[in-house]
Amino acid sequence: MPSYVESHGLPTLAELAPRFAETRVRVSAAAHRTPVMTSRTLDECLRATVFLKCESFQRMGAFKFRGAWNFLSRLPADVLVRGVVAYSSGNHAQAVALVARELGVPATIKVWSAVDLSCEKKRLVRSCEMSLMSMPSTDQMSFSPRTSVNLEAL
C-alpha cells in the first residue's frame, strides 16, 4: 500500500531537504538565531521534557519574520518594485512591513476596519513606512479572484 505522501503526490523529505537547506541559508542572513530553552517547572507539571523556541527574541518579536523574509527576498525585482500588500492586523503585517523596509519595497497593509490595533502595533507598522488602510467588515465585503505567484518559478 502506498504511503500518504506517495498517494497524494507530495514531495518526500529527500526531495525537500535541498530546498530546506537553501531556505535556511537565505533566512539566516537576515533573521536572528533564537534560543531553545527548557523549564523545570513546566516539565514537572507536564511530566515531560518540553523545549521552548524563544521566537519573542526574533526581529519584530515573532517567527513570522522568517516566512516574510523567505518569500519576499525571492521575488524578482520587477515584482518587488510594484510593492507588496498584506492582509493582517498582527505579526504577519509587522513582518511584511519590516522586510519590505529592509528590501526598500513599498508595502501596504490592509486591516479590517473592526480591528483595534494596539498602540505598539501601530507604532511598529508606522515605523516601517507603510500605509495602513481600513477594509470593510466581512458582511460588507465581496471577494474577487486574487493574483497568484508561482513559487516554483522563484
Side-chain angles (χ1 to χ4, degrees), residues 60 65 68 72 84 86 91-109 124-131:
M60 51 71 53
F65 177 82
L72 294 179
V84 296
N91 293 338
H92 175 69
Q94 294 172 50
V96 169
L98 177 57
V99 171
R101 184 184 71 186
E102 296 279 319
L103 297 174
V105 174
T108 300
I109 303 301
L124 286 168
V125 165
R126 289 194 179 117
S127 74
C128 293
E129 299 176 24
M130 46 178 275
S131 352

Side-chain angles (χ1 to χ4, degrees), residues 6-120:
E6 293 167 338
S7 64
H8 288 82
L10 300 172
T12 65
L13 183 56
E15 293 167 332
L16 289 173
R19 290 175 66 182
F20 290 155
E22 292 168 8
T23 300
R24 173 181 256 176
V25 169
R26 185 173 34 258
V27 171
S28 68
H32 295 312
R33 186 168 185 179
T34 56
V36 175
M37 302 179 83
T38 58
S39 164
R40 283 179 283 184
T41 304
L42 188 56
D43 290 355
E44 289 171 13
C45 288
L46 296 174
R47 295 188 179 119
T49 303
V50 178
F51 296 93
L52 305 167
K53 183 70 169 149
C54 302
E55 287 299 300
S56 57
F57 295 125
Q58 188 52 262
R59 295 182 67 183
M60 51 71 53
F63 72 93
K64 300 284 185 173
F65 177 82
R66 296 176 199 278
W69 183 269
N70 187 50
F71 184 81
L72 294 179
S73 68
R74 292 172 43 199
L75 291 175
D78 63 322
V79 172
L80 286 174
V81 74
R82 293 182 289 177
V84 296
V85 178
Y87 292 80
S88 172
S89 59
N91 293 338
H92 175 69
Q94 294 172 50
V96 169
L98 177 57
V99 171
R101 184 184 71 186
E102 296 279 319
L103 297 174
V105 174
T108 300
I109 303 301
K110 298 211 175 206
V111 177
W112 302 110
S113 55
V115 171
D116 182 27
L117 293 177
S118 69
C119 290
E120 179 65 10

